[in-house]
Amino acid sequence: MKTDNGQWLRWRDGVRPGATGLLLVALISGCASYEGIEPRGEMVSLNRLSALQAVKDVTISSANWPDRQWWNTLGDPHLEALIQEALADSPDMDVALARLRSANAAVGQAGAERLPTVDGSATISRSRVSEVDDPQGLGNIYSTTRGLSSNFSYDVDLWGGRRAAWSAALGEARATEIDLHEAALTLSVNVARAYVQLAGDYALLDIARQQLERAQTIDKTNQQLQQAGLSDQSARLQSRSSVSTAQQSLESAQQAVRSDRISLGVLLGKGPDRGFDIERPRPLSPALLSLPSVVPAELVGRRPDVVAARWRVESQTQQIKADKAQFYPNLNLSAMAGFSSRLGSYFFSESAKSWSVSPALSLPIFEGGRLRANLDSTEADYDLAVARYNQTVISALGTVADTITSVQSLNRQQRSLERARDNAQQAFDLALERFQAGITNYLQVLSTQQQLLNAQQSLVSLNSQLVDTSIQLVQALGGGFHAGLDVPHASGGYPHAPNPQTTGRSPDQSDS
């Protein structure tokens, strides 16, 4: 069949767009698919968590969250200086800061991926053509090639994948930033607890000295009675054994104080000797003895570890979006403009100019399962982040309930030991009066003193445990942290975190 050229050209021009469209549809239909890959994790709903039965007898206060300077309630102003020193010098804080710097750098890298790139190049080469390479057989030809060009490249983020990757980096950076507050809270709590331990061990050291003094007095009295023939050697041997035991107890108490000081020196980020410069702590009071009225609902914004876990869930949500965008076509625009010439005098002439524009469309057709495996891994990471968030929330609420009930129990034990101490004190005072009146001997006074010292020792240990547990309750309630605090961070804002009151995936993810 014959046809003229005009008909052929019209037919060709009409067929090409349709064929191109059909080819594009065929390619897209043949793309890798993420069908069947979905996350399974669901964030726990707070209305499913209850601690009312566990803390039913606890004093409730609507405004009893710890203050950011919670350590001031312990009653020793020197503790403030020690905590600030630790926050400034401890390697733990340096580690957290380094991680935050790394996370912020990742935000910058992800943000840079969203921007076009422009680079320039300048080249000059001098060459000599040999006789062998010269088609004319002359050789010995010299030439100089000069080039100057600028290149532009931009990946058009058609499906929002690069933005989602940037949002994921922001979420991780935000979580790392909250980790910094968690590290500061943990460090301040550890310093306070070590300080409480030092105060308690000093009080026990005082009692150990009194125990030794009492044992030595009994031994001296038995020695005098033996010399006077009023006692046999067995009583003296028993008292000498008591002196040796008391000396061992005193050495143990002294070592406990030394160990406490060394531990404090390490926590402050200094050498062990720093701890020996710390003066003896004052008697300390419990930090907090009642529970806020809205623990489950507000705990997610008051504990740094819970807030960080929420941000990591959001980060994985955004990363899923970024991975899904890899399944769709990608458009890249590139351009080049410059000059190239062998003649220097013509380098910037019209004839030396060169340029190109190169739009490129790429899409995955067969990736051997790489994209699906990558998305499946990211969705598993999302499930892991959700599980860790749920674990953190449930554990946090459990810690609060357990710690507050421990404080209650210790308060009741404290009242019982105080009554025992008061009774032992009255018994000792009565025995002393009877001795002074000549009704009884001094050994009876020392016997009642032993009961008093034992009661005092038990009360000191319990008081230290009570103050230590109250500090743990402060930590369990977030130590004064709040998610709304204005914290310095890289510019650019943050993606919206999942609502902790709801279950399932965030709305952003369900739309992806």
Side-chain angles (χ1 to χ4, degrees):
M1 181 180 67
K2 291 186 178 181
T3 182
D4 60 21
N5 290 336
Q7 289 178 331
W8 164 255
L9 291 174
R10 286 192 297 272
W11 180 84
R12 184 189 62 184
D13 294 339
V15 168
R16 279 185 174 177
T20 302
L22 290 175
L23 178 61
L24 183 59
V25 171
L27 289 175
I28 292 178
S29 64
C31 287
S33 170
Y34 55 78
E35 183 179 358
I37 304 177
E38 292 293 337
R40 302 181 180 87
E42 292 188 356
M43 297 177 69
V44 65
S45 177
L46 295 182
N47 56 23
R48 293 168 47 193
L49 305 177
S50 175
L52 297 179
Q53 181 67 24
V55 296
K56 60 182 179 180
D57 298 327
V58 180
T59 302
I60 299 295
S61 170
S62 60
N64 208 30
W65 291 99
D67 185 79
R68 294 197 71 187
Q69 307 292 323
W70 55 266
W71 46 79
N72 292 331
T73 62
L74 297 176
D76 192 329
H78 297 293
L79 182 57
E80 161 78 18
L82 292 177
I83 290 178
Q84 295 301 333
E85 182 180 349
L87 293 176
D89 299 332
S90 174
D92 293 342
M93 298 307 299
D94 294 336
V95 169
L97 283 169
R99 288 174 176 167
L100 180 56
R101 285 179 56 197
S102 178
N104 283 337
V107 174
Q109 291 174 348
E113 293 293 331
R114 302 174 59 202
L115 302 176
T117 60
V118 179
D119 60 71
S121 63
T123 62
I124 182 170
S125 64
R126 178 73 170 168
S127 63
R128 173 185 179 277
V129 180
S130 67
E131 181 178 347
V132 176
D133 294 330
D134 187 355
Q136 299 179 358
L138 299 176
N140 199 29
I141 300 174
Y142 292 87
S143 66
T144 302
T145 302
R146 303 165 183 83
L148 180 65
S149 65
S150 177
N151 300 283
F152 169 89
S153 179
Y154 178 54
D155 278 333
V156 181
D157 194 15
L158 293 175
W159 315 103
R162 292 186 181 273
R163 176 176 177 81
W166 172 72
S167 297
L170 276 175
E172 181 59 34
R174 180 60 166 159
T176 307
E177 183 180 54
I178 304 303
D179 288 341
L180 178 63
H181 289 269
E182 173 69 14
L185 173 59
T186 300
L187 180 60
S188 62
V189 164
N190 288 340
V191 170
R193 294 182 67 184
Y195 197 71
V196 169
Q197 184 69 38
L198 179 61
D201 285 341
Y202 258 119
L204 292 176
L205 177 61
D206 291 340
I207 294 175
R209 290 193 176 108
Q210 295 180 56
Q211 292 275 26
L212 177 59
E213 182 179 354
R214 170 188 168 278
Q216 289 173 336
T217 301
I218 292 177
D219 182 56
K220 184 177 180 180
T221 301
N222 285 333
Q223 181 182 15
Q224 293 172 348
L225 291 174
Q226 182 183 5
Q227 291 174 349
L230 300 177
S231 176
D232 58 18
Q233 188 178 6
S234 63
R236 177 74 195 286
L237 291 174
Q238 291 177 0
S239 62
R240 289 177 64 181
S241 175
S242 297
V243 169
S244 297
T245 300
Q247 288 173 336
Q248 181 273 326
S249 298
L250 177 61
E251 174 56 33
S252 177
Q254 290 172 336
Q255 178 56 35
V257 170
R258 287 192 291 266
S259 295
D260 294 341
R261 290 187 171 277
I262 292 173
S263 297
L264 266 173
V266 172
L267 285 171
L268 297 179
K270 307 291 177 58
D273 289 350
R274 173 65 184 92
F276 291 90
D277 296 332
I278 299 172
E279 61 182 71
R280 177 173 178 170
R282 301 178 181 181
L284 301 173
S285 304
L288 187 66
L289 294 178
S290 59
L291 193 66
S293 58
V294 285
V295 170
E298 296 247 345
L299 198 63
V300 294
R302 297 279 187 168
R303 277 185 58 125
D305 55 345
V306 177
V307 177
R310 286 176 57 201
W311 277 106
R312 288 193 164 94
V313 171
E314 174 61 18
S315 176
Q316 289 303 319
T317 300
Q318 298 297 329
Q319 189 59 50
I320 289 174
K321 290 183 179 181
D323 288 351
K324 285 185 175 181
Q326 299 296 318
F327 287 79
Y328 298 112
N330 181 56
L331 178 62
N332 177 268
L333 300 177
S334 59
M336 183 278 294
F339 300 88
S340 178
S341 174
R342 289 174 179 258
L343 301 175
S345 58
Y346 287 89
F347 185 66
F348 291 105
S349 67
E350 186 69 23
S351 59
K353 290 181 180 179
S354 63
W355 60 270
S356 67
V357 177
S358 304
L361 181 67
S362 62
L363 70 163
I365 297 175
F366 178 74
E367 295 285 343
R370 179 182 61 84
L371 292 179
R372 287 180 60 85
N374 184 57
L375 177 60
D376 197 19
S377 176
T378 302
E379 304 243 3
D381 289 340
Y382 171 86
D383 291 342
L384 179 61
V386 169
R388 285 176 173 169
Y389 167 81
N390 294 340
Q391 182 184 52
T392 302
V393 171
I394 296 172
S395 176
L397 190 58
T399 300
V400 170
D402 180 62
T403 309
I404 194 68
T405 55
S406 295
V407 170
Q408 283 184 295
S409 176
L410 290 171
N411 273 325
R412 291 191 290 267
Q413 295 177 52
Q414 183 186 48
R415 289 191 290 270
S416 297
L417 284 180
E418 285 175 345
R419 290 193 296 269
R421 188 269 319 273
D422 293 343
N423 291 333
Q425 183 68 55
Q426 292 177 9
F428 173 73
D429 293 341
L430 181 60
L432 188 61
E433 290 176 2
R434 290 170 61 85
F435 169 73
Q436 292 172 345
I439 300 176
T440 187
N441 58 40
Y442 194 59
L443 290 177
Q444 183 64 34
V445 175
L446 295 176
S447 177
T448 56
Q449 184 187 23
Q450 178 64 47
Q451 296 179 345
L452 175 59
L453 292 175
N454 289 341
Q456 289 175 340
Q457 187 177 44
S458 298
L459 187 57
V460 165
S461 297
L462 187 72
N463 285 339
S464 297
Q465 187 178 358
L466 176 59
V467 177
D468 181 77
T469 306
S470 72
I471 294 174
Q472 294 180 60
L473 178 58
V474 169
Q475 184 179 22
L477 293 174
F481 173 81
H482 193 278
L485 292 175
D486 183 16
V487 183
H489 188 67
S491 61
Y494 312 111
H496 181 66
N499 185 348
Q501 301 288 358
T502 60
T503 60
R505 300 186 297 277
S506 69
D508 286 343
Q509 183 181 336
S510 61
D511 295 338
S512 61

